[in-house]
Amino acid sequence: MPRGLKLDTLLTLLVLLALAAAPLLGFGANHYMTLFARMMIFAAAALSLSFLVGGAGLASLGHAAAMGVGAYAVAILDAHRVTDMTTVLPVAILASALFSLLTGAIAVRTEGVNFIMITLAFGQMAFFTASSLSAYGGDDGYTLYDRTELLGSRLLESRLFFHYLCLGFLLFCWGMCAMLLASRFGRVLRATRENALRAQAVGFAPYPYRLLAYVIGGTLAGLAGVLFANASEFIAPAYMGWQRSGELIFMVILGGLGRLSGAILGAIVFVLLETWLPNITTHWKMIFGPILILAVIFMRGGLSGVLGARRG
Amino acid sequence: MSTGLFLVQVLNGLQLGILLFLVAAGLTLVFGVMDFINLAHGVQYMLGAYLGAALAAATGSFWLGLLLALPAALFFGLLLEVLIFRHLYDRDHLSQVLATFGVILFLNQAMKAIWGAAPLQVPVPALLEGGVVLMPGLQYPLYRIAVLIAGLLTGLGLWFLVERTRIGMLVRAGATNAAMVSALGVDIRRLFMLVFAFGAMLAGFAGVLAGPIFSVEPGMGDHVLILAFVVIVIGGIGSIRGAFIAALIIGVTDTLGKSLMPDLMRLFLDPSAARQTGAALASMLIYIAMAAILAFRPRGLFPAKGG
Amino acid sequence: MGFWGRAVAEALLSIQGLRKHYGGLAVTNDVSLDVRPGEIHALIGPNGAGKTTLIHQISGTVTPDAGRVVFADADITRLSLPRRVQAGLARSFQITSIIAGFSVLENVALAAQAKSGSSFRFFRPAAREEKLNATARNALAEVGLAERANAIAGALSHGEKRALEIAIALASAPRLLLLDEPLAGAGPEETEKLIALLRRLKARYAILLVEHDMQAVFALADRISVLAEGRIIASGSTAEIRASAEVRAAYLGDEDLPC
């Protein structure tokens, strides 16, 4: 039942509106567009993770690997000179869905810190596999010849078009995750997250629902990976590593656990800090670290919590 | 691979395992007793290494450096506990992960700022230079044997402390059921601080020992941290015995794997592909081991909290 | 059991020779009992008798070492907890187990949802499904929680939470209710309400009631079985149990033990 828009949702909508308007209001320079693209792509990835963590209670420390699978799909196909979205997109979706299905089949059987560790393990395995693929760059990474084509056209090369493509994808992710969480499927997920015994006592076996959620989250991340590969035109194994997975978790927590809009805000704030702080000093991590610590200690519920939203 | 080389790798693996055990012991106790995920445990290890290196350089003696580094590591551990960690005990695990990651970021950068990014050299103490003859024609560094012995003795001492003393009993009880221990009137805060400080000191000790063997550089704790987590997940959270066995398994698997895997791959692939695939598989080996063990024992080999 | 032919034919739930050991201890020692439709069969016994373990084996959270659990003529001994619920056997918990973050209505609607087709539906908001909401509201009305439908479940009083537990069980459209100490921790007023509720429910459901509150048991039960040290030491009508010397010994013996 619509209880009116929560403040954090409103703020997120305003921020997205600002992003939509930005190129038209004079922020069209290359370095801005790069920044915006990075923000929106990570926001989508963080959203898919928030769906998993806040919705299903699946705190995955291997989410970057799913994103990386999508990115590497672009790279590998590019190496074989297959560059149109009509092929790249389905392959990326299939690859990240399969990756999530296979790893999730094992991981979702565990819980708590063991789940965190197993997802970390699978992420690291993906990282090492990518590092050993010398045909596709190995440790040094792979540079795309060009961005992926759209039905033969080079629309993605246009920064403006790419900007709105990313924005559109972000909105799609947001809408989809919100819809899923409100559906029957989402209700079972949320119930299982809070009280697995009660969900079982009411007649739901948690495993199939959680596994499906894990696959959906991983596939959305894979799609974000396709966009990321195009944004940076460079794909490296580090995209799959635990540090990147950790950053995604931070965006989710920073924004506020359990709030989809929070993940968007958290990602944007994170990317901003990551971009601006190095301009202040090379030792910017000595500032960033304490910021994280203080944020966690004093901002319970993350940015969303500060804006008055409560975990649903 | 010759027997001699194999033996050397096994010993190297055991020695890595012992160091991992020292780090993992504190980690598993802190997690078991206080339900606190301490990602910053790896930087305790790094702090120990840097303090050991710096104090050894300042005093000119490795032993003096070791002696001074331990209380210094203890002090920093307590500082972190009082300033940051005790505000996080009642928070969810992910918040703890985030906050302790902030500590990692800060301290890694601080080390870089103070000592620079280049690795510090820590010379092996004069007393332990040279090697021990294991087989005709095969020498093994005396220092590494000393580390093995030191680690085993510490492990023994830890076992005695945990299994045979009253404090140890409280810690074991706390690892099984912290609420119960608190309800029995034990000052749970003080117990937490004790466990935390001791764990920090153990990690620091491992860091000092590691100085002459591994390179002392910013971020050296991160890899060890992941390994330590793998160890405690396999061993069972809250279990010292589990941490010991799992640490040795992981140490030997990782070391042997890295040296054997490329050779194994050469049976199937050409040399350069074998080297690459071998290296990749070797790195994955411990994760595969963890996934396999968790598939059969989802709560680890010796879970402390009931069965 | 064939000798009691008529009883077997009528029984909805039949537990036959259940055994469970933990280490050397026989926590459940050759327990047999049955529950007929339309009756309240109470299970009582001193502390440590093994009532909770028995309930776990009936509901599916613990697997017995030996014996059978037969429900509606089907052997459900190896069936998982969710499957048993789907088959028509609902339970409430001794320690309240509700979804604290959901609203009261959503807690119950979840149970209704489980019985109303597939939950692999992704598009419509579940909160707008009027059929589920209606079923939920009915169950809430039964237990007297209709006005609290929109409250957050975690904010309910203890007695209200116990009632919610029962409402959730009702919304599963069960044939048999397994109630594990529903009156635990309830004050005198709430106890009276719950007793009246259970009386109303008797007509439509078979109920296996585990309880400590003797007054409630004697007021509600059609049959009583007494569990002590893992075995049934007496089973019969209220009058028979009240008169039984073994039962008195089991309880009084318990009370005479020094603390």
Side-chain angles (χ1 to χ4, degrees):
Chain A
M1 283 8 111
R3 266 170 294 178
L5 284 177
K6 297 247 174 51
L7 197 56
D8 62 337
T9 311
L10 199 59
L11 183 64
T12 309
L13 284 170
L14 285 175
V15 168
L16 292 181
L17 201 63
L19 277 172
L24 311 169
L25 293 176
F27 291 94
N30 273 356
H31 66 276
Y32 280 124
M33 298 299 265
T34 310
L35 179 67
F36 296 153
R38 199 179 167 85
M39 276 188 207
M40 292 187 287
I41 293 172
F42 276 118
L47 243 177
S48 62
L49 185 57
S50 177
F51 167 71
L52 287 182
V53 178
L58 294 165
S60 168
L61 208 51
H63 205 61
M67 196 175 165
V69 166
Y72 264 92
V74 175
I76 294 177
L77 287 174
D78 184 84
H80 295 279
R81 308 307 281 127
V82 177
T83 53
D84 202 287
M85 268 301 180
T86 41
T87 316
V88 171
L89 203 62
V91 169
I93 292 178
L94 206 64
S96 42
L98 202 62
F99 175 75
S100 303
L101 180 64
L102 293 174
T103 57
I106 302 180
V108 173
R109 288 186 198 281
T110 64
E111 49 180 29
V113 90
N114 287 3
F115 176 79
I116 298 179
M117 289 308 294
I118 270 227
T119 51
L120 169 71
F122 283 128
Q124 288 299 91
M125 286 195 233
F127 167 74
F128 288 124
T129 307
S131 302
S132 71
L133 295 175
S134 59
Y136 308 113
D139 254 336
D140 298 321
Y142 181 90
T143 309
L144 289 179
Y145 287 100
D146 293 298
R147 291 193 180 180
T148 313
E149 289 161 25
L150 198 56
L151 298 169
S153 77
R154 295 184 170 278
L155 271 178
L156 265 72
E157 308 263 346
S158 149
R159 285 185 180 261
L160 200 62
F161 178 80
F162 191 69
H163 179 92
Y164 290 108
L165 179 66
C166 291
L167 185 60
F169 177 65
L170 176 57
L171 289 169
F172 165 74
C173 269
W174 193 8
M176 174 137 170
C177 289
M179 177 190 79
L180 286 174
L181 285 179
S183 70
R184 279 197 174 203
F185 174 70
R187 185 183 263 175
V188 177
L189 281 183
R190 287 182 291 120
T192 312
R193 180 203 75 210
E194 267 215 51
N195 191 336
L197 181 60
R198 173 41 74 189
Q200 289 177 297
V202 141
F204 291 113
Y207 182 73
Y209 296 93
R210 286 160 65 88
L211 182 57
L212 183 56
Y214 192 74
V215 171
I216 294 176
T219 310
L220 287 175
L223 285 172
V226 169
L227 286 175
F228 190 70
N230 275 284
S232 52
E233 298 183 33
F234 174 72
I235 298 101
Y239 292 1
M240 294 201 181
W242 68 278
Q243 288 93 340
R244 178 57 58 84
S245 286
E247 288 172 11
L248 289 174
I249 291 269
F250 306 148
M251 295 176 203
V252 171
I253 304 179
L254 200 58
L257 219 47
R259 300 289 301 167
L260 291 177
S261 50
I264 299 178
L265 292 177
I268 291 179
V269 169
F270 186 93
V271 171
L272 280 175
L273 284 175
E274 185 192 53
T275 314
W276 285 341
L277 285 181
N279 294 333
I280 303 180
T281 164
T282 31
H283 299 302
W284 60 277
K285 290 190 182 174
M286 284 181 75
I287 306 178
F288 193 43
I291 289 181
L292 275 182
I293 299 172
L294 291 171
V296 171
I297 294 184
F298 294 111
M299 280 167 46
R300 281 178 183 256
L303 293 167
S304 290
V306 165
L307 295 168
R310 214 170 24 141
R311 180 175 180 165
Chain B
M1 170 174 280
S2 68
T3 330
L5 210 51
F6 185 76
L7 188 59
V8 165
Q9 294 298 5
V10 170
L11 283 172
N12 283 349
L14 286 174
Q15 166 236 300
L16 172 64
I18 282 288
L19 284 179
L20 275 182
F21 165 66
L22 292 176
V23 176
L27 196 61
T28 200
L29 279 181
V30 165
F31 198 171
V33 174
M34 293 136 73
D35 201 25
F36 179 66
I37 296 195
N38 183 12
L39 246 50
H41 203 65
V43 299
Q44 292 288 159
Y45 166 82
M46 178 182 69
L47 266 176
Y50 268 99
L51 286 170
L55 290 167
T59 60
S61 154
F62 175 87
W63 303 106
L64 216 54
L66 172 63
L67 214 59
L68 293 172
L70 287 182
L74 186 71
F75 170 72
F76 276 111
L78 281 175
L79 195 67
L80 285 175
E81 203 268 344
V82 166
L83 279 182
I84 302 170
F85 298 149
R86 66 169 49 175
H87 301 285
L88 299 169
Y89 292 150
D90 57 348
R91 303 289 296 275
D92 58 282
H93 284 163
L94 283 182
S95 296
Q96 294 170 352
V97 164
L98 184 57
T100 49
F101 188 76
V103 174
I104 296 181
L105 283 182
F106 177 78
L107 282 174
N108 271 343
Q109 197 64 42
M111 297 298 114
K112 202 184 281 190
I114 301 176
W115 279 290
L120 292 188
Q121 296 304 328
V122 186
V124 173
L127 195 65
L128 296 172
E129 277 173 2
V132 163
V133 179
L134 297 173
M135 282 164 45
L138 190 68
Q139 259 207 346
Y140 193 71
L142 185 58
Y143 182 73
R144 286 181 180 243
I145 302 238
V147 167
L148 253 174
I149 296 179
L152 282 171
L153 285 175
T154 313
L156 217 64
L158 200 60
W159 173 83
F160 184 80
L161 203 67
V162 168
E163 295 283 329
R164 293 291 147 101
T165 65
R166 194 169 163 274
I167 286 276
M169 181 205 65
L170 287 175
V171 169
R172 263 184 302 134
T176 324
N177 191 337
M180 179 63 73
V181 172
S182 177
L184 289 173
V186 175
D187 187 343
I188 206 77
R189 280 275 185 227
R190 199 160 281 176
L191 189 65
F192 279 14
M193 252 180 61
L194 190 71
V195 172
F196 193 87
F198 197 67
M201 201 172 70
L202 278 178
F205 180 48
V208 178
L209 290 179
I213 309 178
F214 303 118
S215 53
V216 178
E217 51 186 352
M220 67 186 282
D222 298 350
H223 184 61
V224 171
L225 178 72
I226 294 206
L227 288 182
F229 262 107
V230 173
V231 165
I232 71 173
V233 163
I234 292 182
I237 296 185
S239 165
I240 298 275
R241 180 169 42 134
F244 184 75
I245 295 179
L248 291 181
I249 295 178
I250 291 293
V252 171
T253 306
D254 195 49
T255 311
L256 273 182
K258 290 215 162 85
S259 50
L260 287 178
M261 214 33 102
D263 292 333
L264 191 63
M265 286 297 109
R266 217 166 294 166
L267 293 174
F268 309 107
L269 306 164
D270 63 85
S272 86
R275 200 174 16 94
Q276 270 183 6
T277 327
L281 275 177
S283 313
M284 290 197 238
L285 214 52
I286 53 167
Y287 297 110
I288 296 175
M290 177 172 82
I293 294 182
L294 283 183
F296 294 109
R297 301 277 201 105
R299 301 185 54 236
L301 294 172
F302 303 99
K305 295 194 200 282
Chain C
M1 262 303 199
F3 185 72
W4 311 104
R6 200 160 151 262
V8 171
E10 285 182 5
L12 182 55
L13 174 72
S14 172
I15 291 134
Q16 300 160 9
L18 233 48
R19 283 178 205 277
K20 183 72 184 174
H21 296 256
Y22 284 122
L25 190 65
V27 180
T28 307
N29 203 342
D30 196 23
V31 169
S32 299
L33 61 87
D34 64 79
V35 185
R36 306 185 196 123
E39 77 162 342
I40 293 187
H41 188 150
L43 183 67
I44 64 176
N47 281 328
K51 299 194 291 295
T52 305
T53 312
L54 183 60
I55 294 299
H56 281 327
Q57 290 171 76
I58 301 175
S59 64
T61 17
V62 166
T63 318
D65 295 328
R68 301 204 311 156
V69 179
V70 179
F71 182 71
D73 294 327
D75 188 332
I76 63 170
T77 321
R78 305 264 162 244
L79 231 51
S80 68
L81 169 57
R83 285 276 173 80
R84 295 189 199 202
V85 175
Q86 286 161 15
L89 197 155
R91 82 170 271 188
S92 74
F93 290 89
Q94 181 185 6
I95 300 175
T96 310
S97 177
I98 55 174
I99 301 174
F102 278 16
S103 70
V104 167
L105 186 69
E106 195 167 23
N107 263 281
V108 188
L110 179 70
Q113 182 180 315
K115 280 312 198 72
S116 165
S118 165
S119 279
F120 283 101
R121 294 199 197 154
F122 311 102
F123 302 109
R124 281 186 70 202
R128 297 244 182 95
E129 289 199 41
E130 272 321 308
K131 239 185 69 184
L132 298 181
N133 290 345
T135 311
R137 286 189 211 279
N138 284 343
L140 287 175
E142 281 266 27
V143 306
L145 280 179
E147 317 94 57
R148 301 285 269 153
N150 293 326
I152 296 292
L156 259 49
S157 75
H158 180 81
E160 288 174 323
K161 283 183 185 165
R162 305 304 284 146
L164 178 56
E165 281 258 350
I166 299 182
I168 295 175
L170 291 179
S172 298
R175 296 173 62 182
L176 183 138
L177 285 171
L178 203 55
L179 301 177
D180 194 353
E181 301 197 33
L183 302 175
E189 252 189 60
E190 292 162 337
T191 304
E192 275 207 42
K193 277 200 226 161
L194 285 169
I195 292 180
L197 168 64
L198 292 176
R199 235 186 235 121
R200 285 199 303 274
L201 295 177
K202 187 163 72 166
R204 277 172 286 148
Y205 309 97
I207 299 180
L208 181 60
L209 174 70
V210 178
E211 249 311 328
H212 265 302
D213 185 332
M214 284 311 154
Q215 284 194 315
V217 167
F218 291 142
L220 287 168
D222 297 303
R223 281 192 294 159
I224 303 178
S225 289
V226 185
L227 193 71
E229 290 179 355
R231 27 172 34 114
I232 302 280
I233 60 171
S235 185
S237 71
T238 315
E240 288 167 1
I241 295 301
R242 276 184 129 137
S244 162
E246 292 101 335
V247 175
R248 211 171 303 134
Y251 272 95
L252 287 180
D254 199 37
E255 269 155 29
D256 275 344
L257 285 171
C259 285

